[in-house]
Amino acid sequence: QMQLVESGGGLVQVGGSLRLSCASSGGTFGSDALGWFRQAPGGRREFVAVIGGRWSGHTTSYADSVKGRFTISRDNAKETAYLQMKNLKPEDTATYYCAASERYEGAVKLDWQYDYWGQGTQVTVSS
């Protein structure tokens, strides 16, 4: 059973940067698609970014709202995924979740395509 633990969230000013980490254990990390989702208070969980497993060439995809500002990456040796966030905006405020899919290798974007989820880390962007 894979376990995912996010870290790196916090309070940052508009225009600032944060790097989220997602440490994995107990699963087939290298071949899994890894995604980041977020949920703002009162909002629905939404896709942020994904990086595919090794057989996909670690292809990446981003939500339009974060494209050019966020970068997803992974270190298979450390079994850790990252989300580098730059030029943060108030609308980026949310709880951020990482997720892993054992069923899909590619850049999947729907939450039902993921099998494991972390507990979330809060990101607050103040203006």
Side-chain angles (χ1 to χ4, degrees):
Q1 186 84 359
M2 179 180 279
Q3 292 187 326
L4 302 171
V5 179
E6 302 98 334
S7 61
L11 175 65
V12 64
Q13 291 188 330
V14 169
S17 299
L18 281 174
R19 188 176 82 155
L20 305 183
S21 298
C22 174
S24 170
S25 62
T28 54
F29 184 85
S31 59
D32 295 351
L34 300 171
W36 286 95
F37 291 75
R38 67 187 181 186
Q39 186 168 17
R44 302 181 67 176
R45 186 163 59 189
E46 63 175 8
F47 165 78
V48 175
V50 58
I51 184 165
R54 63 169 61 94
W55 306 119
S56 78
H58 296 318
T59 186
T60 59
S61 184
Y62 299 89
D64 288 343
S65 59
V66 307
K67 203 170 293 184
R69 299 187 298 122
F70 291 11
T71 302
I72 189 171
S73 61
R74 63 193 294 164
D75 184 332
N76 290 337
K78 296 181 178 179
E79 296 193 335
T80 302
Y82 305 96
L83 185 68
Q84 177 68 52
M85 305 185 294
K86 298 180 179 179
N87 190 22
L88 284 161
K89 304 175 180 181
E91 52 265 40
D92 295 319
T93 295
T95 301
Y96 283 71
Y97 300 90
C98 71
S101 174
E102 288 186 333
R103 293 172 285 148
Y104 297 93
E105 284 257 0
V108 291
K109 303 178 183 180
L110 304 177
D111 56 7
W112 64 261
Q113 294 173 308
Y114 288 83
D115 303 295
Y116 303 102
W117 293 82
Q119 82 290 348
T121 186
Q122 177 68 35
V123 171
T124 302
V125 184
S126 66
S127 56

